[in-house]
Structure formats: structure tokens, C-alpha cells
Amino acid sequence: MGSRSLRRLPDLPDPPFVTGGPTGSAMPLAWAHAEYIKLVRSASNGQVFNDLKVVADRYQSQPGQAPRARSNIEIWNFNRPLPAILAATTIRIPMAAPFRLRWTIDDCATSEDSEATATAVGIYYVDLVTQADEAGSSLAFTFRLLAPPLLVSDASHPTRIVEPPVGHG
């Protein structure tokens, strides 16, 4: 049903919507102004105006506490190729179609194939776990899609595996 067809319908009695009248939803321009006002107030107060304490407590480390643990997974995709990752980090390569990944860390002296794992939401991924002793290596990989249209693609940006900084846990 197009928008012109909707305009021809009679007014709805419950809830009382009147054709051409307000629906009770936020108006985009008013919403943008409200966000700007919150931003100005946050900047002048030096803290986030509508900060939810329960969320901050969960995700921010508190004074005197150790910082939150860093994730050991880095996500690579065509829009965000990783120039480098820390050794002993997992690199996750997701795609929207089934694929096989051929990868190497020794300039193609050896290579391995990894079949993508399917998820319940139609995303496929391969996790490559790097080891601490692989620091200084260069990880390169090629994709082969397993569903039409078939594609073979070299990752144009090999990922260097680097030493973690001292004290990194």
C-alpha cells in the first residue's frame, strides 16, 4: 500500500490518529536540537549529561580498580583491513556468504585452508589465532566464496603480527 493509498483511509478511532495529524513520534528536527542541547550541557559540565550509572558501572573501570580486560579478538573486513595486530590475538574474518580462507604467516612457504563457520544470523566467519612466537610474521590470506557468484580475492593488505607492549595482559 503506497503513501497515497494510506491517505485515503478513514481516521483511526483507537488510537485516535487523524489523517495529517501528529502520530506521537519524535520529530527529527526537535530530536536534533535536543541532542545538541545535551551535548552543550555535557561539555559545560565536563561530564556526560544523560550518563546512565548502571551502564557506566558495567563498562568503565572505577577509580582504584584494574582497567577492563581488552578483547583478544580483532575484526578484519574489506572496509577495515588491519595493518597490524598484537601477537597472541585472534583475528576474526566475517563475510555474508560461505567461504574458504587460505592463509599463511610465512610468505607462502606453507599455507592452511579454513572453512568458515556459519552463525544463526547468516554471517560466516573464520577465526585465526596467532601465537606469541609469531611476532614479526606477516599474515596474508585469500578468500574463495563457496556460493555463486564465486570469488577469489587476495587480501590487499597483509596484516603484521607485532609484539604486545610490556605489561599487556
Side-chain angles (χ1 to χ4, degrees):
M1 186 179 286
S3 62
R4 290 180 184 211
S5 301
L6 288 174
R7 285 189 214 132
R8 291 187 198 129
L9 294 176
D11 294 343
L12 299 175
D14 189 31
F17 291 137
V18 177
T19 302
T23 62
S25 64
M27 295 179 289
L29 192 55
W31 175 83
H33 285 123
E35 289 299 311
Y36 178 72
I37 290 167
K38 289 190 318 189
L39 177 64
V40 169
R41 180 165 176 187
S42 297
S44 67
N45 290 354
Q47 65 183 27
V48 179
F49 163 65
N50 59 341
D51 190 13
L52 300 174
K53 183 171 175 15
V54 66
V55 175
D57 290 347
R58 179 174 182 162
Y59 294 106
Q60 293 176 343
S61 55
Q62 301 302 314
Q65 289 182 340
R68 288 185 43 84
R70 181 187 166 280
S71 173
N72 250 9
I73 297 178
E74 286 284 351
I75 308 295
W76 184 100
N77 64 41
F78 288 104
N79 295 333
R80 185 184 174 264
L82 300 169
I85 61 170
L86 297 176
T89 298
T90 299
I91 183 168
R92 177 165 289 174
I93 303 159
M95 292 189 83
F99 69 100
R100 181 177 302 122
L101 191 75
R102 176 163 289 169
W103 57 275
T104 179
I105 60 163
D106 56 13
D107 294 323
C108 295
T110 62
S111 66
E112 289 190 45
D113 287 344
S114 297
E115 198 90 11
T117 301
T119 67
V121 294
I123 301 294
Y124 299 81
Y125 70 92
V126 169
D127 280 350
L128 300 177
V129 181
T130 64
Q131 306 301 319
D133 62 352
E134 293 173 337
S137 302
S138 184
L139 175 65
F141 40 86
T142 301
F143 300 89
R144 179 177 297 274
L145 291 181
L146 301 177
L150 299 179
L151 163 79
V152 176
S153 171
D154 290 326
S156 56
H157 305 284
T159 300
R160 285 182 354 128
I161 302 171
V162 298
E163 293 274 350
V166 176
H168 174 73

